[in-house]
Amino acid sequence: MDTLRLPGRFESLPKIGEFVVNAARASGLDERSIYAVELAVDEACSNIIDHAYGGEGIGELECEVSVQADRLIIILRDYGRPFDPESIPDPKVGVSIDELKPRGVGFFLMRKMMDEIRYTYSPETGNTLIMVKRKPS
């Protein structure tokens, strides 16, 4: 696994994006899958900065990538506030933008873009978000 650690700042997002795109290309993912990975990781890291840390410069973002024969695994870690992904409802579809709630759309998007998402928390290891993208058959 390769690991990148950067300050929890929005200016770190392009470096994290480049890191995961390079891993996605090395894993043999197609361009559509690479875009999905980049989008999901960007959303997850933005959520960490905004919600887990409550703002920029408060904590660190850790991103690990593992290129495997049939998939790419991305692990994001932070030491901010924990959350319960099951408490985030899917957004309403087919309603006007005015009716959409501003929260939860990003996590819904991450679920749709990736093949698997798992989240754990422990006081010792903090928040761990594991995202998996499988190679198309």
Side-chain angles (χ1 to χ4, degrees):
M1 278 198 172
D2 291 325
T3 303
L4 179 67
R5 288 179 189 83
L6 292 170
R9 304 187 63 75
F10 290 110
E11 66 191 29
S12 297
L13 297 181
K15 289 180 185 172
I16 294 169
E18 181 180 352
F19 181 69
V20 298
V21 164
N22 288 339
R25 284 203 171 100
S27 75
L29 290 174
D30 61 25
E31 287 301 313
R32 183 178 177 155
S33 297
I34 291 169
Y35 177 75
V37 166
E38 183 179 23
L39 187 61
V41 169
D42 187 77
E43 181 61 35
C45 290
S46 295
N47 284 347
I48 291 167
I49 294 167
D50 277 343
H51 305 298
Y53 288 132
E56 289 190 278
I58 296 171
E60 188 176 67
L61 296 170
E62 181 180 309
C63 180
E64 288 182 26
V65 293
S66 175
V67 175
Q68 298 186 354
D70 63 339
R71 70 191 70 206
L72 174 68
I73 300 172
I74 300 159
I75 302 172
L76 297 173
R77 284 193 185 85
D78 69 82
Y79 294 91
R81 286 186 297 272
F83 79 108
D84 176 10
E86 298 305 315
S87 71
I88 301 170
D90 286 345
K92 295 178 185 175
V93 284
V95 298
S96 74
I97 193 117
D98 296 329
E99 293 179 65
L100 281 177
K101 295 192 183 211
R103 308 219 9 150
V105 175
F107 202 77
F108 174 79
L109 178 71
M110 289 165 41
R111 284 185 195 138
K112 293 297 181 190
M113 293 287 164
M114 302 302 286
D115 295 311
E116 283 179 53
I117 293 185
R118 295 186 308 271
Y119 167 82
T120 61
Y121 169 79
S122 84
E124 295 80 30
T125 60
N127 296 303
T128 302
L129 181 65
I130 300 169
M131 298 190 287
V132 177
K133 189 68 173 176
R134 289 184 200 87
K135 288 184 192 177
S137 333

